[in-house]
Amino acid sequence: MSTIPAELDVIHAYRMLRLLREFEDQLHVAIARGNVPGFTHLYAGEEASAVGVCLHLADRDVLCSTHRAHGHFLAKGGDVDALALEIFGKEGGACGGKGGSMHVADWSRGMWGANAIIGASVPHAIGAGFAFKYRGEDGVAVSFGGDGASNQGAGFESMNLAKILNLPVLFVLEDNGYAETTASGWAVAGRPVERAGGFGIPSVEVDGTDLLDVYTKIGVGVRRAREGGVRRSSMCACRCSTAITKVTRKPTARPARSSSCAPSRTASRVSACRCSPPDGRMPRRSTRSMRSARRARQRPSSARSTHRFQPCRP
Amino acid sequence: MSIKTTRDAIRETLIAEMERDPRVFVIGEDIAGGMGAPGEQDAWGGVFGVTKGLLGRFGRERVIDTPISETGFLGLGIGAANAGLRPVVEIMFVDFFGVCFDQVLNNMAKFRYMYGGKASTPITVRTSYGAGFGAAAQHSQALYPMFAHIPGIKVALPSNPYDAKGLLTAAIRDEDPVIFFEHKGLYDEQGEVPDESYVLPFGEAAVVREGKDCCIVAFGRMVLLARQAAEILAREGIETTIVDPRTIAPLDTDTIVEAIAGCGRLVVVDEASPVCGMASEIAALAATECPRALKAAVQKVTPPAVPIPFSPALEAAYLPTAEAIAAAVRKTLQ
């Protein structure tokens, strides 16, 4: 049991965790009904990673994300309605409907956007870190990437540059067990946390399902980046969970659509979220697939509510 | 106003913009030279000597040598631009975009639109291109049409020192990503260049020469060859118009179409591969915008669709020549 740091507002932190999970649970229902256009990737199960990191960040700090960005968007202070509207491709969405789930961004909050090319956003974080250093500001740039991104060259090039230019950048590697369908235990040679060592960048491994573990250990890296000195870059490997969401009760109303699709308690009919244990490899998270959406559409409405979603693309 | 080379025009533009705007910095491989090594610093100034002297004026904070890591430092430039700086990134040879094309194609070109107009990426990427130097297949290509193909980036292709200065100034001050192409064969070309700064707007073609018989649209160094061809043809009594688009994204289609329609005959000269290149684009423009004005089939003067050979004899056979352009013009008049 981790100790609670005195400065941590635990109620706010818990609210953020619940917000991230509730949003994805609501969205999951809409996806399963085929109401969400395009590709969507849910963040359920990884909440402690985004919240634990972003509790240390201010609007001036920059976050560069991945295709799985809803949690990063909300944790960085993005607006819930703007996120939901964007995912549904509506006017008023965070990007005016031009981006969708895989490109949600809130530049006013330093959320530089979901980026759906795996690993492509990592160099942008070092660019943000470069700009902070160039201007003599104390901002911090955070790059979120997954176990999939950890195998892309862009990440290695970025870590090398961050180190030799001594930039205030925190590389967060969220290992949720799978890149698409490929297990990270097979695809990632060595331990993810050890990769930073090759560049002389300090790194730490945290339990991505334990908010206090993430918050406490990542705080060290954020402070190191912000305060300057000769070792401003660091890396954090989050062992993240995945969550299988199960719809157990029949929705009494259609899931919210268009402008009213923000999660609310009254609309909530998704009851159970099972988090996997923090150790070991996790079951795959259910998320968008064309197949499951098609199945849901073909099934009579009475059956939809009790359908247990099959895990698909993590 | 004085006579300067294209190399000097580009260098003085970089110096002027860095002095004018503290947000401007330059970054790339060996652009100063000697980083981390003992001995003389700033000895090199890039492989073509364009950035020589910048380090002494602006220091290592604004003149940044990088490892050979194009994805990393181009991406860094994109991020710095998103953060409000004005990076001028050098990709040494356009061929090297092969290792960082994702940052161009999926990132800098997309941000403003994809993020709903709330992001801005004011980055300038300088790169060298072109054959004629025995640099062979991986250091000689003229890949600019590939970039014009991607919505969201601007592409400048100056053919002389005056245009180079005006277009580079415009590029650095632009709010959107610009790729600035410098032909290796133009670095030593001389021309009159004002000492003070000036901006040449993108999307405004230059009509280099006016004549009634045939319109030649040429790109980059090919404008020089087109001028030589025009001189040859003038001695035969054939008068040509030459249009230099100067930027290919945006493309000044109005001026080009007007020139084509005015002559009724068209020759396009492009150093890029003939397939899906600018020559094809201009030919298509003539076919769609002024088909009734055409009195003869459009002629494309381009290299063949092969990798660029090393042997000087083969490379000379590969490249378009003034005589080939003149022959193409004569063909439209037959």
Side-chain angles (χ1 to χ4, degrees):
Chain A
M1 183 73 183
S2 311
T3 18
I4 299 174
E7 79 280 6
L8 178 63
D9 180 346
V10 286
I11 294 177
H12 171 69
Y14 182 70
R15 280 201 174 118
M16 291 306 295
L17 291 170
R18 286 300 310 159
L19 171 67
L20 264 61
R21 175 61 64 89
E22 190 71 11
F23 187 93
E24 299 295 57
D25 284 351
Q26 292 285 325
L27 186 59
H28 194 175
V29 175
I31 291 167
R33 289 185 152 195
N35 291 335
V36 180
F39 303 145
T40 316
H41 304 83
L42 301 182
Y43 194 72
E46 304 180 34
E47 295 84 358
S49 169
V51 174
V53 173
C54 291
L55 283 170
H56 292 284
L57 305 181
D59 285 353
R60 70 177 187 283
D61 298 316
V62 165
L63 188 162
C64 295
S65 183
T66 71
H67 61 301
R68 190 183 304 290
H70 304 165
H72 301 147
F73 180 97
L74 293 171
K76 193 68 171 70
D79 181 68
V80 176
D81 287 346
L83 175 61
L85 288 168
E86 187 60 35
I87 291 167
F88 282 82
K90 301 291 183 184
E91 194 177 353
C95 306
K98 299 287 204 314
S101 166
M102 294 194 289
H103 306 299
V104 290
D106 185 344
W107 292 76
S108 67
R109 295 276 187 179
M111 167 41 176
W112 276 17
N115 191 315
I117 306 296
I118 300 294
S121 71
V122 189
H124 310 152
I126 66 166
F130 176 89
F132 287 135
K133 189 176 176 185
Y134 188 90
R135 295 188 180 117
E137 297 168 355
D138 71 346
V140 176
V142 181
S143 162
F144 277 96
D147 47 286
S150 80
N151 287 331
Q152 284 278 36
F156 297 122
E157 293 191 26
S158 299
M159 280 198 273
N160 188 58
L161 282 167
K163 175 63 181 178
I164 65 170
L165 298 174
N166 192 28
L167 304 177
V169 181
L170 178 64
F171 300 95
V172 181
L173 193 160
E174 296 174 321
D175 181 357
N176 65 8
Y178 287 88
E180 290 276 353
T181 68
T182 304
S184 64
W186 176 83
V188 181
R191 293 170 61 219
V193 69
E194 291 170 347
R195 296 198 157 186
F199 299 98
I201 292 176
S203 62
V204 63
E205 190 173 50
V206 302
D207 177 354
T209 64
D210 181 341
L211 177 82
L212 296 178
D213 195 44
V214 175
Y215 178 83
T216 307
K217 290 176 181 167
I218 274 184
V220 177
V222 174
R223 274 193 297 279
R224 189 187 290 131
R226 211 183 287 290
E227 289 166 4
V230 292
R231 288 166 47 142
R232 301 188 71 178
S233 308
S234 61
M235 192 260 239
C236 174
C238 282
R239 284 180 293 107
C240 286
S241 164
T242 55
I244 292 181
T245 308
K246 190 171 77 173
V247 176
T248 55
R249 284 194 287 167
K250 179 183 176 182
T252 53
R254 287 185 65 79
R257 302 181 71 171
S258 66
S259 63
S260 63
C261 68
S264 68
R265 290 183 192 285
T266 51
S268 173
R269 288 297 180 272
V270 180
S271 63
C273 302
R274 180 164 60 81
C275 286
S276 305
D279 52 353
R281 293 300 179 199
M282 309 303 167
R284 295 160 62 187
R285 176 185 41 258
S286 62
T287 177
R288 169 69 160 159
S289 83
M290 306 300 277
R291 200 174 51 212
S292 66
R294 199 162 51 238
R295 271 202 305 269
R297 277 198 298 271
Q298 287 163 352
R299 198 166 280 112
S301 61
S302 59
R304 279 185 206 156
S305 57
T306 53
H307 172 57
R308 176 160 185 173
F309 295 105
Q310 296 301 307
C312 46
R313 290 161 52 120
Chain B
M1 188 81 85
S2 54
I3 301 293
K4 292 165 192 161
T5 63
T6 307
R7 176 186 292 103
D8 291 340
I10 293 169
R11 184 192 300 116
E12 77 174 28
T13 306
L14 291 171
I15 290 170
E17 291 306 297
M18 289 178 80
E19 283 177 345
R20 174 182 175 270
D21 186 347
R23 298 172 300 173
V24 179
F25 67 97
V26 294
I27 183 169
E29 293 154 356
D30 306 301
I31 58 165
M35 183 71 197
E40 189 185 356
Q41 301 289 297
D42 199 17
W44 210 20
V47 284
F48 299 105
V50 176
T51 44
K52 188 167 171 56
L54 266 57
L55 178 65
R57 282 173 179 261
F58 301 105
R60 286 280 180 204
E61 289 74 34
R62 296 178 72 191
V63 182
I64 299 149
D65 276 342
T66 68
I68 297 173
S69 186
E70 284 86 357
T71 293
F73 70 77
L74 178 57
L76 184 154
I78 292 168
N82 290 339
L85 299 183
R86 299 265 165 173
V88 180
V89 178
E90 180 179 310
I91 300 292
M92 195 182 284
F93 295 89
V94 69
D95 317 74
F96 299 173
F97 273 99
V99 292
C100 59
F101 205 52
D102 177 62
Q103 290 297 324
V104 177
L105 167 67
N106 285 313
N107 291 278
M108 68 189 226
K110 301 289 192 283
F111 285 177
R112 178 180 291 282
Y113 185 90
M114 184 169 87
Y115 295 128
K118 292 169 186 166
S120 175
T121 313
I123 185 174
T124 301
V125 188
R126 294 179 43 243
T127 192
S128 71
Y129 77 103
F133 302 87
Q138 296 178 330
H139 287 70
S140 302
Q141 296 172 90
L143 298 173
Y144 44 81
M146 288 173 59
F147 298 85
H149 184 74
I150 305 164
I153 47 181
K154 299 176 181 175
V155 181
L157 209 62
S159 68
N160 59 68
Y162 178 87
D163 288 358
K165 181 168 181 176
L167 291 171
L168 184 57
T169 304
I172 294 171
R173 297 181 189 179
D174 203 286
E175 295 299 325
D176 288 303
V178 178
I179 306 204
F180 187 85
F181 280 83
E182 302 167 9
H183 198 291
K184 301 179 196 77
L186 291 176
Y187 280 131
D188 291 321
E189 283 295 319
Q190 295 186 330
E192 288 202 340
V193 180
D195 295 329
E196 64 275 13
S197 291
Y198 56 95
V199 168
L200 283 181
F202 282 23
E204 285 191 13
V207 179
V208 177
R209 181 185 181 112
E210 288 188 87
K212 60 179 175 29
D213 297 324
C214 182
C215 173
I216 304 172
V217 178
F219 297 89
R221 195 177 78 90
M222 296 298 105
V223 176
L224 264 64
L225 302 188
R227 294 172 95 133
Q228 293 167 15
E231 293 298 327
I232 296 169
L233 292 162
R235 289 195 285 273
E236 301 168 15
I238 299 169
E239 294 302 326
T240 50
T241 290
I242 300 175
V243 180
D244 173 2
R246 299 200 287 204
T247 62
I248 55 171
L251 186 66
D252 183 358
T253 53
D254 290 350
T255 300
I256 295 168
V257 169
E258 193 180 318
I260 297 169
C263 296
R265 296 177 180 86
L266 171 64
V267 171
V268 199
V269 193
D270 187 5
E271 194 182 325
S273 170
V275 183
C276 301
M278 291 311 297
S280 305
E281 182 67 24
I282 301 301
L285 196 64
T288 55
E289 300 302 316
C290 53
R292 292 181 192 284
L294 290 177
K295 300 171 194 163
V298 176
Q299 298 297 310
K300 287 167 61 176
V301 181
T302 69
V306 297
I308 298 160
F310 164 70
S311 156
L314 291 174
E315 191 180 29
Y318 169 89
L319 279 169
T321 60
E323 189 43 58
I325 298 166
V329 171
R330 288 184 205 109
K331 194 170 178 186
T332 66
L333 288 159
Q334 281 171 3

